[in-house]
């Protein structure tokens, strides 16, 4: 690229001059390419170690003048091709002009001005495009990464670090490049080059550890190997970025969502040194995620900034130190000391933001007042004016929402629901569950209980009332350690729905989406899908022991909530455990509140738990195993031998203990879960194992351990509940003669906090990341095994070949997702399909795989043949081919017998594989055959549309007759008939050679072109060309005989008075009958050869002439129209005008097969088995080969120029 002219004092230091003229010098840096000796090795090593190669391009052009000792650097290039283009431009545009200058100073001034003008023009042209924020050094490093590792422009570098890569026991100092989709490393030390490329989707484990051998290193594990990196300047920053990129890759494998840069990221006030825009984007994502997780906010909430401050707590009469967070919809505060105070203020609730008077006690205070008369005082703010201005800006964008932060005790959801009442026919205030929870509906008619349990419940309600009066009520409530104590002691039933909404963040979701649920219910009702079928099947299995779900009211409410959510989130749809959790939510919340709680559960608090593969639950199962190993090592070893942990944890986590514990006890764990998050579930699970440790250590099998744990959980009781006892079906079924002693659920919760309360949410997230890598890669391996098993019976490939082909196909699919193919990732990936149909590639990627793997390579004709095979395999015509279709085509080419291969080749030259545009090019092939045949075939460039229409109309007529017969019998058929017919339709039909349609002349010529291009690299090339010429001549004569034989039959048709002559251009039926008689065929052939207008040359002459003319056409097929002689073009055009469309000529597949069987070289070629293993190995090593070729070509150019 052109650069602003820079002075260079020592032009020869570390550089080698390759070209020179009186004014310019082209130089190459020592150490780049071959040669250079010891000095070149030293310079190359220093460049890599000191990162000089990122700042210094390997080629440059200097401006020199005769009288000056100073050189000016005016251009640099990363490759010889780039710098040569600049050199050629200088020689052709500037050299003559500056040679007429007399003064060297004028030459220097002119060239510098010209180069500066070029750069200014380039910058002006780029102004309309999106400007990169990356600094110059970073852009140079990105260019170097693409050149070293052969990456396209779509691959974006995030950051790069200096480190050591341990290859064996020797560390190699170099540079680690972290891009969006790959981890790359490059080192060049004293002539030893190390290059490493690891796709993030292949990473199975990522760990930061410190050992004696690898001090403070990062270990990156894949399925086949491990890589160690150490000697980082800031290992924590590097490792966090690695985790983020690996997480993005895992999300890509799970949901097929490619990484998309955040375009709305705020621009920095100045270009940050060595920090790319992508790195800033990822850092902002990480902060946003932590912010949302801490305060349970919605997924689209974006953190704008945070600052240190103090908050005045009126209930404690003190200032607490912490951080203030501002986002587009919320103001949040979190104390520095954990659990001391947390605050969430939605901007929709803010009425006034003002600067209070400063004092020595309260420096720089800001007062925020809400609509429900609460006031919050923040002080010690560093930039108070800017903060108030930002909050004011966000307040102006916040819509005025009259639906304030009220208590659900005066049912708020019904107020919000009224907006959708008039639109939603299926969700209106007339429904009891629209205004009240199911438990309130069933308790309101009962007599008032004045027993000790009821008094205990009243005391709990009083405690919460005092808390509300002191700390506030609703979203803006101060959340302190006192709040946590009240939750652990149990939430009163009357307040449970309200506080679940508050602590989970669902109340914010509901407040910002009024009427959303009613609209969803209306849209979802009446729709039928796999999810709705599963929901209907499970409705009556949801807490059947509770009387709220023993009637249609509870069942209908549950149906509406589940179907609405399945309609909202089709990627999850419905999972079996969701019905149990939702039924409990409906007991304490209205329908709309239960719906939003379900949204929060599935999408935020239990991520990926309820998708098709329950990935989130499997991840937390792995976390639970890791926690068990850390806290209960002896028990862990024994449980692993029995395989119990993986069995029990899924049911515990998926239903939050609701399916394995009595309802009154499990609902207390749900209270704690909504306040504390998943850590409570882990704590209680560890406490259960700890309480049963002695009994579990004596177990000898899995069943015994499961029984012990099951009976323990069945007897966890809530002695303070005021609700009538709900029978627990599992307890009734498993209780023996002497049940174990009862366990108080409050004691269990308290014990879990005492023994395992040291668990922290951030540690759990770290463990989740590690386990997510293992789980998703394990699921990918399972998918691969399933695909291989399914395809074993449908292809002739071995297990190893199928596995390698699946990996190649999947890598192409993933490449298309993140390097911007013609179709989106959503179109390519459908998780509801079987594994072998989930990954799909487009025509361009299919062409790459075809060129690398297919045995039928035809030189320049290969892309055309690949496109035809793609169209043939793309049965649903969506522009994508799945793995099953890909293997079907490849297996036929590689391992099919001769008939199968020829059948596939034959179908590649018929519609839909052969498109009309390709058929029009058949005129160029008319000189494939002898001069005597040229007159007959000169018109073949026009597509035989009429013949195809007749064939289609004949098929339509047959379909019409079949339909009429079916309608006659329809009245007498019962359902068993239709079941049999449906089963028959589903059976795969075996295609025979009789089912293949006939081939016309244009299609036949395309087939001949393919065959002539197929043998260019074969050792028996001449014999194969001669055989093809013989077969082509024979098939042409057969087609002519069929045409004459068909015309003879047509002439007799008018003699029959009862028949009306109908056009039959293809002559399908008559030809089929005629060719069945062998003697008639032989006689027709003999007659055709004796006719004066037929072939006048002998068979041997025909063979020789055809082979010679065909060979000449193959050798000149790449010429353009301008290269062909004028007389040739004129003759062709005259013949085209004088000819008419021959619609009677056609041949069958049987005739093609029989003709090819007469030539042993062709038989040997098509019966030969193909070794695809070597092709796959070459395809996998293609990237490294490309790098070697590019560097070798540079060296060759260097040697030639020198």
């Amino acid at each position: 690229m052109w650069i602003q002219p820079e002075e260079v004092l020592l032009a020869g230091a570390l550089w080698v001059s390759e070209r020179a003229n009186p004014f310019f010098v082209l130089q190459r840096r020592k150490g780049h390419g071959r040669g250079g000796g010891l000095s070149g090795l030293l310079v190359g090593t220093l460049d890599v170690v000191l990162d000089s190669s990122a700042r210094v391009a390997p080629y440059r052009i200097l401006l020199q003048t005769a009288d000056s000792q100073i050189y000016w650097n005016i251009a640099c290039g990363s490759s010889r091709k780039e710098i040569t283009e600049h050199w050629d431009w200088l020689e052709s545009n500037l050299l003559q002009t500056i040679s007429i200058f007399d003064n060297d100073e004028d030459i220097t001034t002119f060239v510098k001005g010209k180069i500066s003008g070029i750069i200014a023009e380039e910058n002006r042209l780029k102004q309309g495009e999106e400007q990169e924020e990356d600094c110059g050094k970073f852009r140079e490093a990105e260019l170097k990464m693409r050149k070293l590792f052969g990456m396209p422009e779509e691959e974006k570098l995030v950051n790069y670090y200096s480190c050591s890569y341990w290859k064996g026991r020797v560390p190699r100092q170099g540079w680690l490049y972290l891009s969006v989709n790959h981890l790359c490393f490059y080192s060049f030390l004293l002539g030893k080059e190390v290059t490493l490329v690891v796709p993030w989707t292949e990473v199975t484990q990522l760990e930061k550890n410190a050992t004696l051998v690898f001090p403070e290193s990062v270990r990156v594990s894949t399925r086949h190997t491990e890589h160690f990196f150490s000697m980082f300047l800031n290992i924590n920053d590097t490792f966090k970025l690695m985790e983020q990129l690996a997480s993005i890759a895992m999300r890509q494998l799970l949901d097929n969502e490619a990484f998309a840069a955040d375009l709305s990221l705020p621009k920095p006030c100045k270009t940050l040194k060595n920090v790319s825009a992508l790195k800033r984007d990822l850092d902002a994502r990480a902060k946003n995620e932590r912010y949302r997780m801490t305060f349970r906010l919605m997924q689209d909430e974006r953190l704008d900034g945070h600052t240190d401050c103090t908050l005045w707590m009126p209930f404690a009469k003190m200032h607490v130190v912490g951080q203030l967070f501002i986002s587009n919809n919320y103001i949040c505060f979190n104390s520095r000391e954990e659990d001391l105070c947390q605050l969430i203020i939605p901007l929709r609730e803010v009425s006034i933001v003002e600067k209070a008077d400063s004092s020595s006690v309260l420096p720089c205070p800001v007062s925020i007042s809400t609509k429900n008369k609460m006031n919050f005082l923040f002080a010690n703010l560093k930039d108070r004016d800017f903060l108030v201005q930002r909050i004011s800006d966000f307040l102006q964008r916040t819509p005025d929402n009259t639906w304030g932060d009220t208590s659900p005790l005066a049912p708020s959801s019904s107020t919000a629901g009224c907006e959708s009442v008039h639109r939603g026919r299926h969700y209106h205030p007339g429904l009891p569950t629209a205004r009240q929870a199911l438990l309130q509906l069933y308790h309101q008619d009962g007599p008032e209980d004045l027993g000790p349990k009821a008094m205990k419940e009243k005391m709990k309600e009083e405690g919460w009332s005092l808390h509300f009066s002191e700390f506030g009520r609703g979203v803006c409530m101060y959340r302190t350690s006192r709040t946590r104590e009240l939750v652990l002691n149990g939430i009163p039933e009357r307040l449970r729905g309200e506080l679940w909404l508050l602590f989970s963040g669902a109340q914010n979701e509901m407040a910002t989406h009024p009427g959303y649920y009613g609209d969803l219910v209306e849209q979802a009702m009446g729709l039928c899908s796999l999810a709705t079928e599963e929901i209907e099947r499970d409705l009556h299995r949801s807490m059947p022991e509770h009387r709220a779900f023993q009637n249609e009211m509870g069942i209908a409410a549950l149906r509406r909530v589940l179907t609405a959510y399945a309609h909202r989130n089709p990627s999850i749809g419905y999972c079996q455990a969701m019905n149990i959790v939702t039924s409990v939510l409906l007991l304490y919340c209205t329908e709309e509140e239960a719906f939003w709680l379900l949204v929060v559960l599935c999408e935020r608090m239990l991520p990926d738990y309820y998708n098709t593969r329950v990935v989130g639950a499997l991840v937390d199962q792995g976390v639970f195993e890791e926690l068990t190993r850390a806290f209960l090592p002896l028990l862990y070893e024994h449980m692993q031998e029995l395989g119990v942990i993986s069995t029990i944890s899924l049911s515990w986590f998926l239903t939050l203990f609701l399916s394995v514990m009595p309802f009154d006890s499990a609902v207390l764990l749900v209270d704690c879960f909504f306040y504390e998050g998943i850590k409570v579930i882990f704590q209680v699970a560890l406490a259960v194992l700890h309480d049963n440790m002695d009994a579990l250590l004596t177990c000898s099998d899995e069943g015994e351990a499961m029984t012990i744990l099951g009976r323990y959980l069945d007897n966890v009781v809530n002695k303070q509940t005021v609700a009538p006892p709900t029978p627990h079906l599992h307890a009734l079924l498993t209780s023996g003669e002497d049940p174990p002693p009862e366990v108080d659920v409050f004691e269990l919760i308290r014990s879990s906090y005492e023994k395992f309360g040291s668990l922290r949410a951030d540690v759990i997230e770290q463990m989740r990341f590690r386990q997510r890598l293992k789980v998703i890669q394990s699921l990918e391996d399972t998918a691969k095994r399933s695909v291989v098993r399914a395809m074993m019976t449908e292809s002739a490939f071995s297990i190893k070949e199928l596995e390698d082909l699946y990996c190649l196909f999947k890598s192409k699919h993933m490449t298309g997702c993140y390097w911007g193919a013609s179709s989106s990732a959503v179109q390519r990936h459908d998780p509801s399909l079987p594994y072998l149909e989930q990954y799909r590639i487009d025509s361009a990627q299919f062409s790459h795989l075809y060129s690398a793997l297919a045995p039928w390579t035809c030189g320049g004709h290969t892309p055309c043949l690949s496109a035809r095979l793609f169209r043939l395999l793309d049965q649903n015509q969506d522009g994508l081919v799945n793995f099953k279709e890909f293997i079907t085509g490849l297996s036929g080419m590689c391992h099919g017998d001769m008939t199968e291969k020829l059948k596939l080749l034959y179908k590649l030259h018929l519609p839909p594989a052969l498109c009309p545009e390709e058929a029009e090019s058949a005129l160029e092939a008319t000189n494939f055959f002898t001069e005597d045949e040229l007159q007959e075939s000169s018109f073949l460039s026009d597509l035989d549309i009429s013949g195809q229409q007749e064939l289609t109309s004949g098929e339509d007529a047959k379909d019409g007759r079949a339909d009429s017969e079916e309608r006659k019998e329809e009245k007498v058929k019962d359902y068993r008939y239709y079941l049999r017919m449906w089963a028959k339709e589903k059976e795969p039909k075996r295609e025979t050679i009789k089912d293949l349609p006939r081939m016309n002349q244009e299609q036949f010529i395309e087939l001949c072109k393919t065959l002539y291009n197929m043998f260019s690299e074969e050792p028996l090339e001449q014999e194969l060309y001669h055989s093809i010429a013989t077969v082509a001549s024979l098939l042409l004569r057969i087609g002519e005989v069929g045409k004459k034989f068909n015309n003879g039959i047509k002439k007799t048709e008018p003699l029959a008075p009862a028949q009306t002559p109908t056009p039959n251009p293809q002559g399908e039926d008559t030809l089929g009958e005629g060719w069945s008689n062998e003697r008639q065929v032989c006689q027709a052939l003999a007659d055709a050869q004796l006719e004066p207008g037929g072939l006048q040359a002998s068979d041997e002459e025909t063979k020789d002439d055809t082979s010679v003319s065909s060979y000449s056409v193959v050798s000149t097929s790449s010429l353009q129209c301008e290269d062909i002689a004028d007389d040739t073009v004129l003759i062709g055009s005259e013949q085209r005008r004088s000819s008419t469309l021959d619609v009677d000529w056609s041949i069958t597949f049987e005739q093609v097969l029989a003709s090819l069987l007469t030539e042993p070289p062709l038989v040997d070629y098509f019966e030969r088995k193909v070794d695809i293993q070597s092709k796959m190995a070459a395809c996998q090593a293609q990237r490294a080969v490309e790098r070697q070729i590019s560097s070798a070509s540079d060296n060759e150019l260097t040697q030639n120029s020198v």
Side-chain angles (χ1 to χ4, degrees), residues 272-336:
L272 301 176
K273 184 181 179 182
N274 295 342
V275 178
S276 67
L278 275 177
K279 179 70 167 62
R280 287 181 53 243
D281 183 1
L282 290 171
D283 289 344
R285 287 173 190 238
K287 289 179 180 178
N288 286 333
E289 194 171 343
R290 285 196 300 270
Y291 171 64
R292 290 192 297 261
M293 191 179 301
T294 303
F295 299 103
R296 306 275 173 84
L297 301 178
M298 292 173 284
Q299 295 287 3
D300 58 350
E301 196 63 26
R302 298 163 56 84
L303 179 65
D304 185 70
H306 59 89
T307 183
D308 293 334
C309 70
T310 59
L311 170 66
W312 171 252
M313 295 196 301
F315 50 87
K317 302 293 188 293
M318 62 178 287
H319 293 278
V320 59
V321 179
Q323 280 192 319
L324 182 69
F325 299 85
I326 309 293
S327 62
N328 45 341
N329 293 298
Y330 295 90
I331 301 170
C332 302
F333 175 84
N334 202 23
S335 62
R336 188 174 296 171

Side-chain angles (χ1 to χ4, degrees), residues 206-274:
L206 199 61
E207 283 186 323
K208 182 178 66 173
N209 49 23
T211 62
L212 208 57
V213 182
F214 303 112
E216 204 173 30
S217 62
V218 174
R219 183 177 68 174
V220 180
S221 303
T222 64
R223 289 179 176 83
H224 309 295
T225 185
E226 291 182 341
H227 307 285
F228 290 89
F229 302 93
S230 63
M231 303 291 288
F232 289 97
L233 190 63
N234 189 344
I235 191 170
N236 293 324
D237 180 58
T238 309
F239 187 72
K240 283 179 183 177
L241 182 56
M242 285 181 168
E243 285 185 325
Q244 275 187 286
L245 294 171
S247 296
I248 291 170
M250 293 306 104
R251 178 56 56 186
Q252 196 175 43
L253 286 175
L254 188 60
D255 295 338
N256 244 53
E257 292 181 358
F259 174 79
D262 192 348
L263 301 178
S264 58
L265 195 68
K267 306 298 180 188
C269 53
K270 61 179 181 178
T271 302
L272 301 176
K273 184 181 179 182
N274 295 342

Side-chain angles (χ1 to χ4, degrees), residues 178 291 381 593 748 783 792 1002 1069 1131:
L178 303 181
Y291 171 64
L381 293 163
E593 293 167 349
L748 178 62
M792 279 295 294
E1002 289 169 318
D1069 298 334
I1131 291 170

Side-chain angles (χ1 to χ4, degrees), residues 478-494:
Y478 291 95
R479 306 175 195 206
T480 65
S481 54
R482 173 64 182 155
T483 314
R484 178 178 168 189
E485 290 174 11
L486 288 173
V487 172
L488 294 184
N489 288 328
I491 298 175
E493 287 194 354
R494 290 179 183 273

Side-chain angles (χ1 to χ4, degrees), residues 438-456:
L438 287 174
L439 216 54
Q440 292 178 358
L441 289 172
Y442 285 96
H443 282 183
Q444 62 188 6
D445 299 330
E448 186 177 0
D449 188 1
L450 299 175
K453 290 184 178 180
M455 295 305 295
K456 183 76 172 177

Side-chain angles (χ1 to χ4, degrees), residues 908-1032:
L908 288 179
H909 298 83
L910 297 173
L914 186 72
C915 63
E917 291 79 8
E918 290 180 321
E920 289 177 1
S921 65
L923 176 63
E924 300 172 4
T926 53
N927 54 350
F928 266 39
F929 310 108
T930 63
E931 291 295 326
D932 294 326
E933 296 165 347
L934 190 58
Q935 186 69 26
E936 302 253 350
S937 59
S938 61
F939 55 84
L940 292 179
S941 61
D942 292 331
L943 182 64
D944 188 10
I945 299 173
S946 60
Q948 292 180 359
Q949 289 174 344
E950 290 294 333
L951 184 61
T952 308
S953 62
E955 292 175 355
D956 292 342
K958 292 179 183 178
D959 293 341
R961 289 195 297 272
D963 291 342
S964 62
E965 291 174 3
E966 287 179 7
R967 281 196 292 271
K968 290 177 184 177
E969 298 177 0
E970 191 173 1
K971 297 178 181 178
V972 295
K973 300 293 187 289
D974 59 1
Y975 72 94
R976 287 171 295 182
Y977 168 79
Y978 294 109
L979 284 174
R980 286 196 299 271
M981 290 295 292
W982 178 78
K984 193 173 182 181
E985 286 177 2
K986 292 296 181 184
E987 289 179 2
K989 296 179 181 178
R990 297 288 297 177
E991 186 183 50
T992 64
I993 58 176
K994 298 283 186 184
D995 299 327
L996 295 174
R998 303 177 73 86
M999 179 179 281
N1000 63 29
Q1001 267 186 336
E1002 289 169 318
Q1003 296 159 357
F1004 170 67
I1005 289 175
E1006 288 294 328
L1007 174 63
C1008 291
K1009 286 171 67 176
T1010 300
L1011 289 171
Y1012 272 101
N1013 283 289
M1014 195 178 285
F1015 310 126
S1016 58
E1017 298 179 1
E1018 290 295 319
L1020 301 176
E1021 183 178 355
Q1022 292 301 321
E1023 290 85 347
L1024 288 167
Y1025 280 136
H1026 189 81
S1027 300
I1028 284 298
T1030 305
V1031 169

Side-chain angles (χ1 to χ4, degrees), residues 798-933:
S798 66
I799 294 178
K800 180 69 168 60
E801 289 172 343
L802 280 173
E803 287 180 347
D804 291 344
L805 285 170
Y806 179 81
C807 292
L808 282 174
F809 189 89
K810 178 182 162 187
S811 67
K812 279 292 177 188
H813 167 90
M814 301 306 298
T815 301
C817 291
Y818 56 65
W819 280 348
S822 57
S823 55
S824 67
V826 177
Q827 292 172 322
R828 294 163 168 272
H829 187 69
D830 185 358
S832 63
L833 293 173
Y835 283 130
L836 72 168
E837 298 179 19
Q838 283 188 11
Y839 292 124
R840 295 182 285 181
I841 58 176
D842 60 19
S843 56
Q845 295 169 313
F846 180 86
S847 179
H848 294 155
L849 284 179
Y850 181 92
S851 303
L853 301 175
W856 296 347
T857 52
C858 306
H861 194 60
T862 301
C864 179
L865 198 63
S866 167
R868 291 176 188 171
L869 181 59
F870 182 85
R871 287 193 291 270
L872 181 66
L873 297 175
D874 185 16
Q875 297 177 357
N876 57 357
Q877 297 183 351
D878 62 349
L880 298 169
V881 165
N882 61 42
F883 183 69
K884 181 180 180 181
E885 295 165 340
F886 173 74
I887 288 298
T888 302
L890 192 62
S891 178
M893 285 188 287
C894 294
H895 293 295
D897 56 21
M898 181 179 178
T899 304
E900 290 177 358
K901 291 180 180 177
L902 288 176
K903 192 195 300 184
L904 178 60
L905 191 63
Y906 184 85
K907 288 196 286 188
L908 288 179
H909 298 83
L910 297 173
L914 186 72
C915 63
E917 291 79 8
E918 290 180 321
E920 289 177 1
S921 65
L923 176 63
E924 300 172 4
T926 53
N927 54 350
F928 266 39
F929 310 108
T930 63
E931 291 295 326
D932 294 326
E933 296 165 347

Side-chain angles (χ1 to χ4, degrees), residues 735-855:
S735 60
E737 296 180 358
D738 50 342
E742 291 182 344
V743 180
D744 188 358
V745 65
F746 292 102
E747 286 298 323
L748 178 62
I749 294 173
R750 194 171 292 110
S751 168
S752 72
Y753 272 90
E754 290 173 358
K755 295 171 183 172
F756 310 105
S758 58
L759 275 180
R760 293 175 51 188
D762 56 343
V763 175
I764 290 175
E765 286 305 313
Q766 282 284 333
M767 294 172 130
R768 275 180 163 178
F769 165 74
R770 289 197 296 269
Q771 295 299 327
R772 193 175 291 114
L773 288 179
K774 293 180 184 177
V775 167
I776 294 180
Q777 296 292 13
S778 174
L779 290 173
E780 289 296 310
D781 292 341
T782 303
K784 181 171 74 173
R785 288 193 294 270
S786 301
V787 169
V788 169
R789 280 198 304 269
M791 293 305 299
M792 279 295 294
T793 57
E794 299 188 25
S795 71
F797 291 115
S798 66
I799 294 178
K800 180 69 168 60
E801 289 172 343
L802 280 173
E803 287 180 347
D804 291 344
L805 285 170
Y806 179 81
C807 292
L808 282 174
F809 189 89
K810 178 182 162 187
S811 67
K812 279 292 177 188
H813 167 90
M814 301 306 298
T815 301
C817 291
Y818 56 65
W819 280 348
S822 57
S823 55
S824 67
V826 177
Q827 292 172 322
R828 294 163 168 272
H829 187 69
D830 185 358
S832 63
L833 293 173
Y835 283 130
L836 72 168
E837 298 179 19
Q838 283 188 11
Y839 292 124
R840 295 182 285 181
I841 58 176
D842 60 19
S843 56
Q845 295 169 313
F846 180 86
S847 179
H848 294 155
L849 284 179
Y850 181 92
S851 303
L853 301 175

